[in-house]
Amino acid sequence: KNKYSMIIALKVLSILGVIYMIGYTIWNILKNKKMLQSLSSTAYIVKHDWVFTLSMCIAGFSIAPYMIALLPGWWGFVAMLFLIGLILVGCSPHYRTVYEFMHNLGGYLAGIMTQVAVGYWYWPLLLCWIPFLLWCIFGKSPNKTFYAEALCFITLGICLIIF
């Protein structure tokens, strides 16, 4: 009974983390008055670096525990790498500086690990990348990074709700 209650609590926490990131993103889009180039560009929109850092940490620390609970055995390490990625991103809010490598490493690590987890839970969701990749090849938009990040969070969020 206690284990089941803990799983429910972690699921609720993870969904709240996804909702927080959606709210944070919408708030920054409204504040910016145009679509974001990337989620990381919000570090240049908010007044204080710590808001961006805190937001990345809130997302990571609220989502990763449920990912760990859902992934068996060593697969839980995927969730830890996701968390490490978001921490690296949060610790280097101004990515157009000497911290660019750390920021990019964290961003790619977090994004890839979300999709590794999604692939483990329900691989057909990875097919959502096909239209995106076609759009990247044939379309022109400065917001491709943002849409890739959004796709990572959307597919992860769907899995966190379903499982």
Side-chain angles (χ1 to χ4, degrees), residues 12 35 52 69 160:
V12 169
M35 188 52 70
F52 176 79
L160 295 174

Side-chain angles (χ1 to χ4, degrees), residues 2-14:
N2 284 341
K3 184 178 180 182
Y4 183 69
S5 298
M6 180 58 77
I7 295 296
I8 290 174
L10 291 176
K11 181 174 189 147
V12 169
L13 181 64
S14 71

Side-chain angles (χ1 to χ4, degrees), residues 59 101 148:
F101 176 77

Side-chain angles (χ1 to χ4, degrees), residues 83-123:
L83 176 59
I84 289 167
L86 282 185
I87 291 171
L88 287 172
V89 168
C91 288
S92 53
H94 293 289
Y95 59 92
R96 298 177 189 143
T97 64
V98 294
Y99 300 108
E100 180 179 17
F101 176 77
M102 182 170 81
H103 187 90
N104 289 340
L105 175 67
Y108 283 112
L109 185 60
I112 291 169
M113 290 304 109
T114 64
Q115 298 312 285
V116 169
V118 166
Y120 179 85
W121 291 319
Y122 189 68
W123 69 265

Side-chain angles (χ1 to χ4, degrees), residues 14-15 18 22 63 66-67 70 82 110-132 146-163:
S14 71
I15 292 169
V18 171
I22 291 169
I63 295 170
Y66 188 53
M67 289 175 69
L70 289 178
F82 161 75
I112 291 169
M113 290 304 109
T114 64
Q115 298 312 285
V116 169
V118 166
Y120 179 85
W121 291 319
Y122 189 68
W123 69 265
L125 269 179
L126 296 177
L127 297 175
C128 293
W129 285 96
I130 293 172
F132 175 79
F146 174 74
Y147 293 121
E149 295 165 339
L151 192 53
C152 286
F153 265 100
I154 289 167
T155 55
L156 177 65
I158 290 169
C159 284
L160 295 174
I161 290 168
I162 291 173
F163 297 106

